[in-house]
Amino acid sequence: MPYFFVYMDKLKKIIKEYGPYILIIVIVLLLKTYIISPILVSGDSMDSTLKDGDMMLLNKLAYKTNDIERFDIVVVEHDNSYIIKRIIGLPGDTVKCIDNKLYINDKVYTEEYLDKDTKTSDFEIETIKEGYYFVLGDNREVSLDSRRIGLIEEKEIQGKATFTIFPFNRWGTKK
């Protein structure tokens, strides 16, 4: 039998034996790269909504089909790292905090996700440009957010993170 046919028989055997595993690996890599991926919360800037060490799922397609909404929890790429924050200001909004009250377009918002003893220092943001967002952490006293790093460009937002998968006692959707 010619060498070519022997080679083809071996190749078919390898594909038949290892093909399903290779397919699974390719599918997992594609899912992780383009659709959904696990993320680890690092730090206390989103306490008490999210805890240091929480494992969440990042939905990378969320904003391909839906608009970014106020109070969404998002992952942002900043200085070659990733931070998790809450969207507060949308393009066209004015945002300010006076005496621990959040004003968006001169309307007071109750932030039910914050602990009652959370303090937010006063700030004021002029009209947010198109394509930019104002983000804050829920633990305002320690959060590295738009008050320090500036407005976030839409292209820096990696996706929406709302579902905690670990630890199991914190399993579920976070808002």
Side-chain angles (χ1 to χ4, degrees), residues 111-170:
E111 297 179 275
E112 297 177 6
Y113 47 83
L114 295 180
D115 285 340
K116 290 182 182 186
D117 59 344
T118 297
K119 302 289 183 225
T120 306
S121 56
D122 291 356
F123 66 85
E124 186 167 352
I125 304 298
E126 298 289 326
T127 305
I128 299 170
K129 296 186 299 190
E130 194 63 38
Y132 286 83
Y133 295 85
F134 183 81
V135 297
L136 290 175
D138 290 356
N139 187 358
R140 306 282 164 80
E141 295 178 64
V142 301
S143 181
L144 177 65
D145 51 39
S146 287
R147 296 171 296 168
R148 294 189 192 132
I149 63 174
L151 298 174
I152 301 299
E153 268 191 270
E154 185 170 351
K155 68 181 181 181
E156 295 174 288
I157 298 173
Q158 302 300 301
K160 185 175 182 177
T162 56
F163 198 84
T164 302
I165 57 175
F166 188 81
F168 297 122
N169 65 338
R170 295 186 42 75

Side-chain angles (χ1 to χ4, degrees), residues 32-163:
K32 184 180 182 310
T33 303
Y34 297 107
I35 298 173
I36 198 161
S37 94
I39 57 162
L40 182 65
V41 176
S42 178
D44 299 325
S45 72
M46 285 298 290
D47 270 357
S48 69
T49 306
L50 305 175
K51 301 287 186 186
D52 183 41
D54 280 1
M55 179 70 68
M56 301 185 74
L57 293 177
L58 174 64
N59 182 347
K60 295 180 179 184
L61 289 180
Y63 300 127
K64 303 289 187 220
T65 56
N66 298 306
D67 292 333
I68 297 171
E69 294 182 13
R70 189 178 327 282
F71 306 123
D72 282 355
I73 298 172
V74 296
V75 172
V76 175
E77 184 176 3
H78 175 71
D79 284 344
N80 296 320
S81 64
Y82 296 96
I83 56 176
I84 188 163
K85 302 297 171 199
R86 187 179 298 276
I87 298 284
I88 301 296
L90 304 172
D93 285 349
T94 59
V95 181
K96 62 185 171 185
C97 185
I98 300 172
D99 295 330
N100 220 36
K101 290 183 181 150
L102 178 66
Y103 294 86
I104 302 171
N105 302 321
D106 296 321
K107 178 183 173 194
V108 177
Y109 279 78
T110 303
E111 297 179 275
E112 297 177 6
Y113 47 83
L114 295 180
D115 285 340
K116 290 182 182 186
D117 59 344
T118 297
K119 302 289 183 225
T120 306
S121 56
D122 291 356
F123 66 85
E124 186 167 352
I125 304 298
E126 298 289 326
T127 305
I128 299 170
K129 296 186 299 190
E130 194 63 38
Y132 286 83
Y133 295 85
F134 183 81
V135 297
L136 290 175
D138 290 356
N139 187 358
R140 306 282 164 80
E141 295 178 64
V142 301
S143 181
L144 177 65
D145 51 39
S146 287
R147 296 171 296 168
R148 294 189 192 132
I149 63 174
L151 298 174
I152 301 299
E153 268 191 270
E154 185 170 351
K155 68 181 181 181
E156 295 174 288
I157 298 173
Q158 302 300 301
K160 185 175 182 177
T162 56
F163 198 84

